[in-house]
């Protein structure tokens, strides 16, 4: 049984969460002008300092735009967002992702994994490829890992594959997707089991060891293609 730490959010966090949720829900559409800071603070019963700090943070996350001498407006976060924006979307509505968000994450991972597989086969040493097998073995240990632990191991396997390929930027990009990818692996394990996740990793690892690029890429296309299309269902929680 897993438990999560409890904490009391600050007024700044509560301010950020309320505006962020209203933006993500569409209640505050793009280009909506917010009231002046003093008025907003009075409406929400917080100080102007809390409002100012919250607006600054929401602008950093890509949700708001502060226009000099004009005011604060809701920004197009899909156009102006960053990794923090993605994390906010992941946590919105208690972490219940929409179908479009899940598909988008899977499609990005699909592209990254194709590049990682190709480079690992072309440039990784035999020792580096063999080391990836330790993660596959770890998933098969008794007692079986928790879903969160299984997802973490899966991430380490795939991240290790990006490192083995020798591209210095790809591992950093892949790391930036750790939270959403881990969340989707947990969802996969909940629906299909840790053994199924291990089988996917084992099959990919076997193709990597054989340096069979065509078969390895086909395997990636098969299991991620099924996830994207919905034939291997993980869109529903």
């Amino acid at each position: 049984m897993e438990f999560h730490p409890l904490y009391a959010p600050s007024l700044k966090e509560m301010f950020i969460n309320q505006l962020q949720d209203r933006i993500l829900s569409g209640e505050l559409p793009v280009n909506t002008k917010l009231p002046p800071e003093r008025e907003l603070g009075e409406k929400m019963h917080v100080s102007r300092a809390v409002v100012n700090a919250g607006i600054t943070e929401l602008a950093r996350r890509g949700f708001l735009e502060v226009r000099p001498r004009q005011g604060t407006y809701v920004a197009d976060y899909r156009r102006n967002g960053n990794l923090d924006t993605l994390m906010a979307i992941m946590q919105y509505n208690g972490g219940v992702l929409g179908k479009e968000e899940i598909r988008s994450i899977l499609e990005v991972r699909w592209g990254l994994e194709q590049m990682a597989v190709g480079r690992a086969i072309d440039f990784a040493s035999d020792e580096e490829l063999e080391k990836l097998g330790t993660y596959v073995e770890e998933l098969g240990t008794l007692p079986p890992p928790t879903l969160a632990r299984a997802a973490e191991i899966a991430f380490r396997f795939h991240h290790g594959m990006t490192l083995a390929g020798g591209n210095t930027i790809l591992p950093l990009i892949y790391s930036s997707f750790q939270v959403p990818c881990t969340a989707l692996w947990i969802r996969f394990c909940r629906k299909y089991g840790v053994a199924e996740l291990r089988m996917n990793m084992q099959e990919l690892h076997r193709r990597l060891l054989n340096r069979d690029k065509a078969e390895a890429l086909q395997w990636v296309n098969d299991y991620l293609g099924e996830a994207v299309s919905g034939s291997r269902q993980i869109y529903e929680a």
Side-chain angles (χ1 to χ4, degrees):
M1 183 178 296
E2 296 185 42
F3 295 93
H4 303 285
L6 301 176
Y7 72 99
S10 67
L11 287 174
K12 174 186 169 183
E13 289 173 314
M14 294 172 70
F15 174 87
I16 290 171
N17 290 339
Q18 184 175 146
L19 262 67
Q20 192 170 265
D21 287 355
R22 290 188 177 186
I23 293 170
L24 288 171
S25 70
E27 186 178 344
L28 289 175
V30 174
N31 287 326
T32 298
K33 183 178 182 180
L34 297 186
E37 289 185 5
R38 189 181 301 278
E39 180 182 340
L40 196 55
E42 291 173 354
K43 288 177 179 291
M44 300 179 71
H45 300 284
V46 294
S47 69
R48 187 174 179 181
V50 168
V51 173
N52 182 266
I55 286 175
T56 299
E57 177 62 20
L58 286 166
R60 188 183 70 80
R61 296 183 187 183
F63 289 107
L64 295 178
E65 179 186 1
V66 180
R67 302 175 187 172
R69 297 183 296 279
Q70 294 184 47
T72 302
Y73 293 79
V74 176
D76 184 350
Y77 62 86
R78 295 185 183 275
R79 182 181 297 274
N80 303 310
N82 50 47
L83 182 59
D84 289 318
T85 316
L86 175 61
M87 295 303 101
I89 293 172
M90 289 291 299
Q91 295 163 4
Y92 173 64
N93 197 25
V96 179
L97 298 175
K99 185 173 182 178
E100 198 57 45
E101 284 76 23
I102 293 175
R103 178 186 288 111
S104 297
I105 292 167
L106 289 169
E107 286 174 344
V108 171
R109 185 186 152 206
W110 195 352
L112 292 175
E113 200 148 315
Q114 286 179 320
M115 180 178 177
V117 164
R119 288 194 61 86
I121 289 174
D122 287 342
F123 301 109
S125 67
D126 291 343
E127 291 75 18
E128 287 174 317
L129 293 181
E130 288 171 2
K131 184 178 178 181
L132 294 175
T134 61
Y135 302 120
V136 179
E137 293 171 3
E138 192 173 354
L139 272 184
T141 58
L142 293 174
T146 63
L147 300 187
R149 178 60 178 161
E152 179 190 347
I153 294 169
F155 174 80
R156 287 165 57 198
F157 172 87
H158 287 84
H159 186 252
M161 184 170 60
T162 67
L163 289 168
N167 183 292
T168 58
I169 302 301
L170 185 58
L172 302 178
I173 297 174
Y174 204 88
S175 289
S176 71
F177 281 86
Q178 181 172 1
V179 172
C181 285
T182 298
L184 293 182
W185 272 314
I186 290 174
R187 182 176 295 207
F188 179 91
C189 290
R190 187 176 291 123
K191 293 181 73 71
Y192 301 107
V194 173
E196 187 74 7
L197 176 62
R198 182 176 185 269
M199 187 275 291
N200 281 345
M201 289 167 53
Q202 191 173 39
E203 285 299 314
L204 178 55
H205 185 236
R206 182 175 65 81
R207 288 163 170 78
L208 291 173
L209 289 176
N210 292 337
R211 297 192 186 270
D212 191 332
K213 186 184 292 188
E215 285 295 318
L217 290 175
Q218 185 60 55
W219 181 252
V220 170
N221 291 339
D222 287 346
Y223 71 74
L224 281 176
E226 288 177 352
V228 170
S229 69
S231 58
R232 175 61 69 95
Q233 185 58 262
I234 61 171
Y235 288 115
E236 297 176 3

mmCIF file of all heavy atoms in Angstrom, residues 179-209:
data_model
loop_
_atom_site.group_PDB
_atom_site.id
_atom_site.type_symbol
_atom_site.label_atom_id
_atom_site.label_comp_id
_atom_site.label_asym_id
_atom_site.label_seq_id
_atom_site.Cartn_x
_atom_site.Cartn_y
_atom_site.Cartn_z
ATOM 1 N N VAL A 179 8.471 12.625 -16.080
ATOM 2 C CA VAL A 179 7.216 12.611 -15.316
ATOM 3 C C VAL A 179 6.047 12.097 -16.154
ATOM 4 O O VAL A 179 5.353 11.162 -15.742
ATOM 5 C CB VAL A 179 6.923 14.003 -14.720
ATOM 6 C CG1 VAL A 179 5.526 14.044 -14.097
ATOM 7 C CG2 VAL A 179 7.970 14.347 -13.664
ATOM 8 N N PRO A 180 5.783 12.657 -17.354
ATOM 9 C CA PRO A 180 4.654 12.135 -18.126
ATOM 10 C C PRO A 180 4.845 10.696 -18.586
ATOM 11 O O PRO A 180 3.897 9.911 -18.570
ATOM 12 C CB PRO A 180 4.548 13.100 -19.313
ATOM 13 C CG PRO A 180 5.865 13.781 -19.389
ATOM 14 C CD PRO A 180 6.373 13.859 -17.995
ATOM 15 N N CYS A 181 6.064 10.330 -18.990
ATOM 16 C CA CYS A 181 6.294 8.949 -19.435
ATOM 17 C C CYS A 181 6.112 7.970 -18.286
ATOM 18 O O CYS A 181 5.514 6.895 -18.451
ATOM 19 C CB CYS A 181 7.694 8.807 -20.035
ATOM 20 S SG CYS A 181 7.863 9.528 -21.680
ATOM 21 N N THR A 182 6.604 8.332 -17.100
ATOM 22 C CA THR A 182 6.449 7.457 -15.944
ATOM 23 C C THR A 182 4.979 7.286 -15.598
ATOM 24 O O THR A 182 4.525 6.177 -15.276
ATOM 25 C CB THR A 182 7.216 8.031 -14.733
ATOM 26 O OG1 THR A 182 8.614 8.094 -15.059
ATOM 27 C CG2 THR A 182 7.049 7.157 -13.505
ATOM 28 N N ALA A 183 4.224 8.377 -15.665
ATOM 29 C CA ALA A 183 2.791 8.289 -15.381
ATOM 30 C C ALA A 183 2.094 7.331 -16.337
ATOM 31 O O ALA A 183 1.218 6.550 -15.933
ATOM 32 C CB ALA A 183 2.161 9.677 -15.469
ATOM 33 N N LEU A 184 2.489 7.354 -17.607
ATOM 34 C CA LEU A 184 1.851 6.468 -18.585
ATOM 35 C C LEU A 184 2.314 5.029 -18.414
ATOM 36 O O LEU A 184 1.543 4.084 -18.651
ATOM 37 C CB LEU A 184 2.125 6.959 -20.006
ATOM 38 C CG LEU A 184 1.474 8.300 -20.348
ATOM 39 C CD1 LEU A 184 1.754 8.674 -21.795
ATOM 40 C CD2 LEU A 184 -0.026 8.259 -20.098
ATOM 41 N N TRP A 185 3.562 4.802 -17.985
ATOM 42 C CA TRP A 185 3.992 3.427 -17.697
ATOM 43 C C TRP A 185 3.230 2.859 -16.498
ATOM 44 O O TRP A 185 2.882 1.678 -16.485
ATOM 45 C CB TRP A 185 5.499 3.378 -17.439
ATOM 46 C CG TRP A 185 6.316 3.192 -18.670
ATOM 47 C CD1 TRP A 185 6.101 2.298 -19.684
ATOM 48 C CD2 TRP A 185 7.499 3.919 -19.043
ATOM 49 N NE1 TRP A 185 7.065 2.428 -20.660
ATOM 50 C CE2 TRP A 185 7.936 3.407 -20.289
ATOM 51 C CE3 TRP A 185 8.233 4.938 -18.437
ATOM 52 C CZ2 TRP A 185 9.070 3.876 -20.937
ATOM 53 C CZ3 TRP A 185 9.364 5.421 -19.086
ATOM 54 C CH2 TRP A 185 9.768 4.891 -20.330
ATOM 55 N N ILE A 186 2.978 3.690 -15.495
ATOM 56 C CA ILE A 186 2.181 3.234 -14.352
ATOM 57 C C ILE A 186 0.792 2.836 -14.820
ATOM 58 O O ILE A 186 0.256 1.792 -14.425
ATOM 59 C CB ILE A 186 2.101 4.336 -13.275
ATOM 60 C CG1 ILE A 186 3.471 4.522 -12.605
ATOM 61 C CG2 ILE A 186 1.034 4.009 -12.227
ATOM 62 C CD1 ILE A 186 3.531 5.685 -11.634
ATOM 63 N N ARG A 187 0.215 3.656 -15.681
ATOM 64 C CA ARG A 187 -1.114 3.341 -16.209
ATOM 65 C C ARG A 187 -1.080 2.046 -17.018
ATOM 66 O O ARG A 187 -1.983 1.213 -16.905
ATOM 67 C CB ARG A 187 -1.589 4.508 -17.090
ATOM 68 C CG ARG A 187 -2.971 4.314 -17.658
ATOM 69 C CD ARG A 187 -3.413 5.535 -18.443
ATOM 70 N NE ARG A 187 -3.549 6.692 -17.575
ATOM 71 C CZ ARG A 187 -4.383 7.701 -17.837
ATOM 72 N NH1 ARG A 187 -5.147 7.667 -18.911
ATOM 73 N NH2 ARG A 187 -4.452 8.732 -17.041
ATOM 74 N N PHE A 188 -0.031 1.855 -17.817
ATOM 75 C CA PHE A 188 0.116 0.628 -18.603
ATOM 76 C C PHE A 188 0.183 -0.589 -17.683
ATOM 77 O O PHE A 188 -0.489 -1.608 -17.905
ATOM 78 C CB PHE A 188 1.374 0.711 -19.467
ATOM 79 C CG PHE A 188 1.636 -0.508 -20.296
ATOM 80 C CD1 PHE A 188 1.129 -0.624 -21.586
ATOM 81 C CD2 PHE A 188 2.388 -1.571 -19.794
ATOM 82 C CE1 PHE A 188 1.359 -1.764 -22.352
ATOM 83 C CE2 PHE A 188 2.628 -2.707 -20.547
ATOM 84 C CZ PHE A 188 2.111 -2.801 -21.830
ATOM 85 N N CYS A 189 1.021 -0.495 -16.644
ATOM 86 C CA CYS A 189 1.183 -1.624 -15.711
ATOM 87 C C CYS A 189 -0.111 -1.923 -14.979
ATOM 88 O O CYS A 189 -0.423 -3.089 -14.680
ATOM 89 C CB CYS A 189 2.294 -1.335 -14.707
ATOM 90 S SG CYS A 189 3.952 -1.347 -15.418
ATOM 91 N N ARG A 190 -0.866 -0.886 -14.655
ATOM 92 C CA ARG A 190 -2.135 -1.098 -13.960
ATOM 93 C C ARG A 190 -3.114 -1.876 -14.839
ATOM 94 O O ARG A 190 -3.895 -2.691 -14.350
ATOM 95 C CB ARG A 190 -2.723 0.252 -13.545
ATOM 96 C CG ARG A 190 -3.963 0.149 -12.668
ATOM 97 C CD ARG A 190 -4.424 1.523 -12.209
ATOM 98 N NE ARG A 190 -3.477 2.097 -11.259
ATOM 99 C CZ ARG A 190 -2.879 3.261 -11.422
ATOM 100 N NH1 ARG A 190 -3.101 3.978 -12.522
ATOM 101 N NH2 ARG A 190 -2.048 3.727 -10.509
ATOM 102 N N LYS A 191 -3.069 -1.625 -16.143
ATOM 103 C CA LYS A 191 -4.014 -2.278 -17.052
ATOM 104 C C LYS A 191 -3.529 -3.639 -17.537
ATOM 105 O O LYS A 191 -4.323 -4.570 -17.717
ATOM 106 C CB LYS A 191 -4.287 -1.372 -18.266
ATOM 107 C CG LYS A 191 -5.043 -0.099 -17.938
ATOM 108 C CD LYS A 191 -5.299 0.734 -19.168
ATOM 109 C CE LYS A 191 -6.370 0.126 -20.046
ATOM 110 N NZ LYS A 191 -7.717 0.227 -19.466
ATOM 111 N N TYR A 192 -2.197 -3.784 -17.757
ATOM 112 C CA TYR A 192 -1.689 -4.991 -18.395
ATOM 113 C C TYR A 192 -0.695 -5.777 -17.553
ATOM 114 O O TYR A 192 -0.352 -6.907 -17.904
ATOM 115 C CB TYR A 192 -1.043 -4.632 -19.743
ATOM 116 C CG TYR A 192 -2.009 -3.954 -20.684
ATOM 117 C CD1 TYR A 192 -1.894 -2.589 -20.948
ATOM 118 C CD2 TYR A 192 -3.053 -4.652 -21.284
ATOM 119 C CE1 TYR A 192 -2.781 -1.952 -21.801
ATOM 120 C CE2 TYR A 192 -3.943 -4.023 -22.133
ATOM 121 C CZ TYR A 192 -3.809 -2.671 -22.388
ATOM 122 O OH TYR A 192 -4.694 -2.042 -23.218
ATOM 123 N N GLY A 193 -0.196 -5.166 -16.479
ATOM 124 C CA GLY A 193 0.712 -5.881 -15.597
ATOM 125 C C GLY A 193 2.176 -5.565 -15.861
ATOM 126 O O GLY A 193 2.567 -5.228 -16.978
ATOM 127 N N VAL A 194 2.983 -5.710 -14.806
ATOM 128 C CA VAL A 194 4.420 -5.461 -14.900
ATOM 129 C C VAL A 194 5.076 -6.464 -15.841
ATOM 130 O O VAL A 194 6.026 -6.134 -16.555
ATOM 131 C CB VAL A 194 5.069 -5.515 -13.497
ATOM 132 C CG1 VAL A 194 6.585 -5.427 -13.594
ATOM 133 C CG2 VAL A 194 4.531 -4.393 -12.611
ATOM 134 N N ALA A 195 4.566 -7.707 -15.862
ATOM 135 C CA ALA A 195 5.154 -8.734 -16.727
ATOM 136 C C ALA A 195 5.080 -8.328 -18.194
ATOM 137 O O ALA A 195 5.999 -8.602 -18.976
ATOM 138 C CB ALA A 195 4.443 -10.067 -16.504
ATOM 139 N N GLU A 196 4.001 -7.668 -18.574
ATOM 140 C CA GLU A 196 3.862 -7.226 -19.968
ATOM 141 C C GLU A 196 4.865 -6.119 -20.283
ATOM 142 O O GLU A 196 5.451 -6.087 -21.369
ATOM 143 C CB GLU A 196 2.437 -6.734 -20.211
ATOM 144 C CG GLU A 196 2.110 -6.414 -21.659
ATOM 145 C CD GLU A 196 1.941 -7.649 -22.519
ATOM 146 O OE1 GLU A 196 1.940 -8.774 -21.980
ATOM 147 O OE2 GLU A 196 1.810 -7.494 -23.755
ATOM 148 N N LEU A 197 5.080 -5.226 -19.330
ATOM 149 C CA LEU A 197 6.082 -4.172 -19.517
ATOM 150 C C LEU A 197 7.466 -4.790 -19.667
ATOM 151 O O LEU A 197 8.250 -4.390 -20.531
ATOM 152 C CB LEU A 197 6.062 -3.211 -18.329
ATOM 153 C CG LEU A 197 7.124 -2.098 -18.330
ATOM 154 C CD1 LEU A 197 6.949 -1.172 -19.532
ATOM 155 C CD2 LEU A 197 7.061 -1.287 -17.035
ATOM 156 N N ARG A 198 7.754 -5.765 -18.834
ATOM 157 C CA ARG A 198 9.053 -6.439 -18.907
ATOM 158 C C ARG A 198 9.231 -7.138 -20.253
ATOM 159 O O ARG A 198 10.325 -7.118 -20.832
ATOM 160 C CB ARG A 198 9.182 -7.451 -17.773
ATOM 161 C CG ARG A 198 10.535 -8.173 -17.750
ATOM 162 C CD ARG A 198 10.640 -9.094 -16.535
ATOM 163 N NE ARG A 198 11.962 -9.689 -16.448
ATOM 164 C CZ ARG A 198 12.304 -10.857 -17.003
ATOM 165 N NH1 ARG A 198 11.391 -11.543 -17.692
ATOM 166 N NH2 ARG A 198 13.536 -11.330 -16.891
ATOM 167 N N MET A 199 8.190 -7.737 -20.760
ATOM 168 C CA MET A 199 8.279 -8.422 -22.045
ATOM 169 C C MET A 199 8.614 -7.438 -23.163
ATOM 170 O O MET A 199 9.450 -7.725 -24.030
ATOM 171 C CB MET A 199 6.957 -9.132 -22.349
ATOM 172 C CG MET A 199 6.991 -10.028 -23.598
ATOM 173 S SD MET A 199 6.677 -9.129 -25.154
ATOM 174 C CE MET A 199 4.933 -8.729 -24.934
ATOM 175 N N ASN A 200 7.991 -6.252 -23.134
ATOM 176 C CA ASN A 200 8.297 -5.235 -24.139
ATOM 177 C C ASN A 200 9.771 -4.834 -24.092
ATOM 178 O O ASN A 200 10.438 -4.733 -25.128
ATOM 179 C CB ASN A 200 7.428 -3.991 -23.906
ATOM 180 C CG ASN A 200 6.014 -4.161 -24.437
ATOM 181 O OD1 ASN A 200 5.733 -5.070 -25.212
ATOM 182 N ND2 ASN A 200 5.122 -3.288 -24.011
ATOM 183 N N MET A 201 10.278 -4.609 -22.872
ATOM 184 C CA MET A 201 11.682 -4.231 -22.717
ATOM 185 C C MET A 201 12.606 -5.363 -23.142
ATOM 186 O O MET A 201 13.633 -5.144 -23.779
ATOM 187 C CB MET A 201 11.949 -3.842 -21.264
ATOM 188 C CG MET A 201 11.312 -2.523 -20.864
ATOM 189 S SD MET A 201 11.316 -2.227 -19.058
ATOM 190 C CE MET A 201 13.047 -2.455 -18.673
ATOM 191 N N GLN A 202 12.236 -6.586 -22.793
ATOM 192 C CA GLN A 202 13.060 -7.751 -23.113
ATOM 193 C C GLN A 202 13.178 -7.946 -24.613
ATOM 194 O O GLN A 202 14.273 -8.225 -25.142
ATOM 195 C CB GLN A 202 12.443 -8.987 -22.461
ATOM 196 C CG GLN A 202 13.324 -10.222 -22.482
ATOM 197 C CD GLN A 202 12.706 -11.336 -21.656
ATOM 198 O OE1 GLN A 202 11.491 -11.541 -21.653
ATOM 199 N NE2 GLN A 202 13.547 -12.049 -20.921
ATOM 200 N N GLU A 203 12.070 -7.794 -25.320
ATOM 201 C CA GLU A 203 12.086 -7.950 -26.771
ATOM 202 C C GLU A 203 12.911 -6.861 -27.443
ATOM 203 O O GLU A 203 13.673 -7.119 -28.371
ATOM 204 C CB GLU A 203 10.654 -7.942 -27.312
ATOM 205 C CG GLU A 203 9.890 -9.222 -27.061
ATOM 206 C CD GLU A 203 10.559 -10.413 -27.729
ATOM 207 O OE1 GLU A 203 10.936 -10.305 -28.910
ATOM 208 O OE2 GLU A 203 10.709 -11.455 -27.064
ATOM 209 N N LEU A 204 12.773 -5.627 -26.958
ATOM 210 C CA LEU A 204 13.570 -4.548 -27.520
ATOM 211 C C LEU A 204 15.050 -4.772 -27.229
ATOM 212 O O LEU A 204 15.906 -4.583 -28.107
ATOM 213 C CB LEU A 204 13.120 -3.204 -26.940
ATOM 214 C CG LEU A 204 13.907 -1.972 -27.394
ATOM 215 C CD1 LEU A 204 13.925 -1.858 -28.924
ATOM 216 C CD2 LEU A 204 13.339 -0.702 -26.776
ATOM 217 N N HIS A 205 15.363 -5.200 -26.021
ATOM 218 C CA HIS A 205 16.754 -5.446 -25.648
ATOM 219 C C HIS A 205 17.375 -6.550 -26.511
ATOM 220 O O HIS A 205 18.530 -6.448 -26.927
ATOM 221 C CB HIS A 205 16.846 -5.819 -24.167
ATOM 222 C CG HIS A 205 18.246 -5.959 -23.679
ATOM 223 N ND1 HIS A 205 18.718 -7.115 -23.080
ATOM 224 C CD2 HIS A 205 19.304 -5.106 -23.722
ATOM 225 C CE1 HIS A 205 19.984 -6.947 -22.769
ATOM 226 N NE2 HIS A 205 20.368 -5.751 -23.137
ATOM 227 N N ARG A 206 16.608 -7.583 -26.792
ATOM 228 C CA ARG A 206 17.119 -8.675 -27.624
ATOM 229 C C ARG A 206 17.492 -8.161 -29.013
ATOM 230 O O ARG A 206 18.547 -8.525 -29.568
ATOM 231 C CB ARG A 206 16.068 -9.775 -27.732
ATOM 232 C CG ARG A 206 16.515 -10.991 -28.544
ATOM 233 C CD ARG A 206 15.481 -12.092 -28.517
ATOM 234 N NE ARG A 206 14.242 -11.687 -29.170
ATOM 235 C CZ ARG A 206 14.057 -11.709 -30.484
ATOM 236 N NH1 ARG A 206 15.044 -12.070 -31.300
ATOM 237 N NH2 ARG A 206 12.897 -11.344 -31.003
ATOM 238 N N ARG A 207 16.672 -7.298 -29.572
ATOM 239 C CA ARG A 207 16.950 -6.749 -30.898
ATOM 240 C C ARG A 207 18.154 -5.807 -30.864
ATOM 241 O O ARG A 207 18.918 -5.737 -31.829
ATOM 242 C CB ARG A 207 15.705 -6.033 -31.416
ATOM 243 C CG ARG A 207 14.573 -7.004 -31.806
ATOM 244 C CD ARG A 207 13.235 -6.288 -31.903
ATOM 245 N NE ARG A 207 12.199 -7.127 -32.485
ATOM 246 C CZ ARG A 207 11.548 -8.081 -31.856
ATOM 247 N NH1 ARG A 207 11.836 -8.348 -30.583
ATOM 248 N NH2 ARG A 207 10.619 -8.799 -32.456
ATOM 249 N N LEU A 208 18.303 -5.076 -29.745
ATOM 250 C CA LEU A 208 19.472 -4.213 -29.603
ATOM 251 C C LEU A 208 20.753 -5.036 -29.562
ATOM 252 O O LEU A 208 21.751 -4.700 -30.212
ATOM 253 C CB LEU A 208 19.358 -3.375 -28.334
ATOM 254 C CG LEU A 208 18.278 -2.285 -28.298
ATOM 255 C CD1 LEU A 208 18.200 -1.664 -26.907
ATOM 256 C CD2 LEU A 208 18.541 -1.208 -29.343
ATOM 257 N N LEU A 209 20.739 -6.123 -28.791
ATOM 258 C CA LEU A 209 21.923 -6.980 -28.684
ATOM 259 C C LEU A 209 22.299 -7.577 -30.040
ATOM 260 O O LEU A 209 23.484 -7.744 -30.351
ATOM 261 C CB LEU A 209 21.678 -8.099 -27.672
ATOM 262 C CG LEU A 209 21.623 -7.694 -26.193
ATOM 263 C CD1 LEU A 209 21.283 -8.906 -25.336
ATOM 264 C CD2 LEU A 209 22.960 -7.092 -25.743
#
